[in-house]
Amino acid sequence: MTGDFALAEDCAQDAFVRAFSDWRKGGIPDNPGAWLTTVAKRRAIDLLRHAGAEDRALRRVAVEADEPVEPDPDINAGIDDRLRLIFTCCHPALPIDARVALTLRTVAGLTPAQIARAFLVTEPAMDKRLVRARAKIRHAGIPYRVPPPDLMPERRDGVLAVLYLLFTEGYSATGGEDLIRISLLREAIRLTRLLVELMPDDGEVRALLALMLLHHARTAARTDAVGDVVTLEEQDRSLWDPDAITEALTILRLLVPRAGRYELQARIAACHLEASDAASTNFARIAELYDALAFIDPSPVVELNRAVAVAMSQGPEAGLRLIDALVTSRGMEDYYLLPATRADLLRRMGRGTEAATEYEKALQLAPSEAEKRYLGKRLAETRR
């Protein structure tokens, strides 16, 4: 209604503050959502009336208008509210990274620090990116509306990126005591299932669901009884979810191979989960899949994962050479998995002193307490 994210957020917060007071006295209304929306809208009108700028005056007219602000609901029947808002935020007029960052902030509630980590940029840089995105919406008058079905494909990449990064934050939390945020994992999977229903013929959408299911299948085995990290090679595979694995592998079997970024990642995950144990994993095939992924979606993180696969298939020396080439890569300075992976390969090669130094670096950069505890144990073992 306002065309201004900052104003909308301020008005929504004011409405919640008012509810906190009024509902304690008069009880919760029959329709809390409508109550909050009405109070927030009135607050927006009040603020816009007292603003002299021409653009605010025009937005005030839009907010005060009685015309519906949403398109014909029949066009978007069946779309979940949160998925509807994700589609709305992923407007093609914004650069793809701005769309994804803004949606993660506005819809998923991730902090700028968490989003910055996903994009391998600093928190101040991400703050500026979010400010620019909001300013463009405000000044260009970009209409935030749910697109009709024929326009959904042009927003697909942004929506997929949002869902993937939402899942990633749940899979490996940016901060806090716990490694896994199970509520985010489940919400990302739920929304992706809804997206599959909306776009059933899109292979990348189904591949993303398969990727999520394969990773989520290992949730029960990824931490021990006290919440400490258990690495993939040490996990109890009997704890993996066979139903999730079966569903994901079925999706992959029915896909027409197109080598999309999510399909390739899903096939990499499948290689791990189809192996009876860590030793029998086809790491040579995984390295080949990472080669293909690096071709269509090059990034230092992909190269790091490829180096691990090479190390497991050709020996730690081969992997270490590839990792050493990434040390000066932009965006990897604060990425804790780079020194952590380097430390692991050095440890396997018997170079304990060097490994300890790398573990110390990784320990300082690790985002969650669970990962810090794991790295601390590895460091202690290396020093013995």
Side-chain angles (χ1 to χ4, degrees):
M1 294 179 186
T2 66
D4 184 331
F5 266 105
L7 177 61
E9 288 173 344
D10 288 345
C11 293
Q13 289 173 11
D14 288 346
F16 276 102
V17 171
R18 171 99 173 265
F20 188 72
S21 172
D22 288 10
W23 294 1
R24 276 184 164 182
K25 299 173 184 176
I28 299 175
D30 292 336
N31 191 333
W35 189 99
L36 289 164
T37 302
T38 300
V39 172
K41 180 177 177 179
R42 288 172 180 166
R43 178 61 175 157
I45 292 171
D46 184 58
L47 290 172
L48 289 168
R49 278 177 177 164
H50 290 86
E54 181 181 352
D55 65 327
R56 290 209 162 196
L58 291 173
R59 282 186 279 126
R60 186 194 55 154
V61 173
V63 175
E64 290 179 326
D66 292 328
E67 291 83 1
V69 296
E70 289 288 342
D72 182 354
D74 291 337
I75 294 176
N76 303 286
I79 299 181
D80 173 89
D81 280 344
R82 183 167 289 187
L83 188 61
R84 180 190 297 261
L85 188 53
I86 290 174
F87 262 111
T88 300
C89 288
C90 288
H91 195 283
L94 293 172
I96 183 66
D97 57 348
R99 286 181 239 168
V100 175
L102 183 62
T103 313
L104 288 172
R105 181 75 186 106
T106 305
V107 181
L110 300 191
T111 66
Q114 291 169 328
I115 303 170
R117 180 195 174 207
F119 282 88
L120 297 181
V121 299
T122 64
E123 185 176 350
M126 182 52 64
D127 278 327
K128 292 178 181 177
R129 191 174 296 181
L130 290 167
V131 168
R132 287 195 298 268
R134 287 171 168 167
K136 182 166 185 177
I137 292 165
R138 184 171 64 250
H139 295 307
I142 294 174
Y144 266 59
R145 300 289 187 266
V146 181
D150 61 308
L151 295 181
M152 284 184 181
E154 71 180 5
R155 304 194 189 189
R156 183 204 70 166
D157 288 350
V159 173
L160 291 180
V162 167
L163 294 176
Y164 175 69
L165 291 174
L166 181 63
F167 180 87
T168 300
E169 177 62 24
Y171 183 81
S172 183
T174 305
E177 286 291 328
D178 300 325
L179 174 69
I180 302 167
R181 297 176 62 184
I182 194 68
S183 61
L184 285 184
L185 287 179
R186 290 172 177 167
E187 179 66 356
I189 292 173
R190 183 186 75 84
L191 292 171
T192 306
R193 287 190 186 280
L194 292 174
L195 189 60
V196 169
E197 293 178 10
L198 285 173
M199 307 176 73
D201 298 326
D202 193 310
E204 271 290 85
V205 176
R206 287 181 286 140
L208 178 59
L209 177 60
L211 174 61
M212 290 180 177
L213 290 171
L214 288 168
H215 283 314
H216 188 39
R218 297 192 292 106
T219 298
R222 291 183 59 224
T223 55
D224 60 19
V226 296
D228 285 346
V229 175
V230 180
T231 62
L232 177 57
E233 61 184 326
E234 297 171 337
Q235 287 173 15
D236 179 356
R237 299 188 175 216
S238 68
L239 297 177
W240 292 356
D241 183 345
D243 293 335
I245 295 172
T246 299
E247 181 183 357
L249 294 180
T250 300
I251 292 171
L252 290 178
R253 279 197 296 271
L254 295 176
L255 280 182
V256 176
R258 297 187 185 279
R261 63 177 298 200
Y262 299 111
E263 179 193 337
L264 290 170
Q265 291 181 75
R267 295 195 186 281
I268 289 167
C271 286
H272 286 291
L273 274 73
E274 287 176 314
S276 57
D277 53 46
S280 59
T281 304
N282 189 348
F283 284 105
R285 172 59 178 159
I286 291 174
E288 291 176 357
L289 289 168
Y290 272 121
D291 283 339
L293 184 59
F295 181 77
I296 65 166
D297 187 27
S299 78
V301 174
V302 171
E303 291 297 336
L304 178 61
N305 289 325
R306 174 177 169 271
V308 173
V310 170
M312 298 303 292
S313 61
Q314 301 178 25
E317 295 87 353
L320 188 60
R321 285 194 295 272
L322 296 175
I323 290 175
D324 286 344
L326 295 172
V327 172
T328 58
S329 296
R330 183 180 178 183
M332 299 294 277
E333 303 88 352
D334 298 324
Y335 192 60
Y336 85 103
L337 286 176
L338 179 60
T341 305
R342 195 168 189 277
D344 187 62
L345 296 184
L346 289 167
R347 178 180 60 83
R348 293 171 187 261
M349 295 165 63
R351 294 160 61 176
T353 301
E354 295 171 82
T357 299
E358 294 298 311
Y359 277 128
E360 289 173 350
K361 293 178 184 176
L363 186 57
Q364 293 175 352
L365 297 171
S368 73
E369 293 302 318
E371 287 160 313
K372 289 180 187 294
R373 290 194 300 270
Y374 169 77
L375 292 167
K377 289 178 182 178
R378 285 295 196 195
L379 177 59
E381 293 169 359
T382 305
R383 284 173 170 168
R384 288 174 189 167

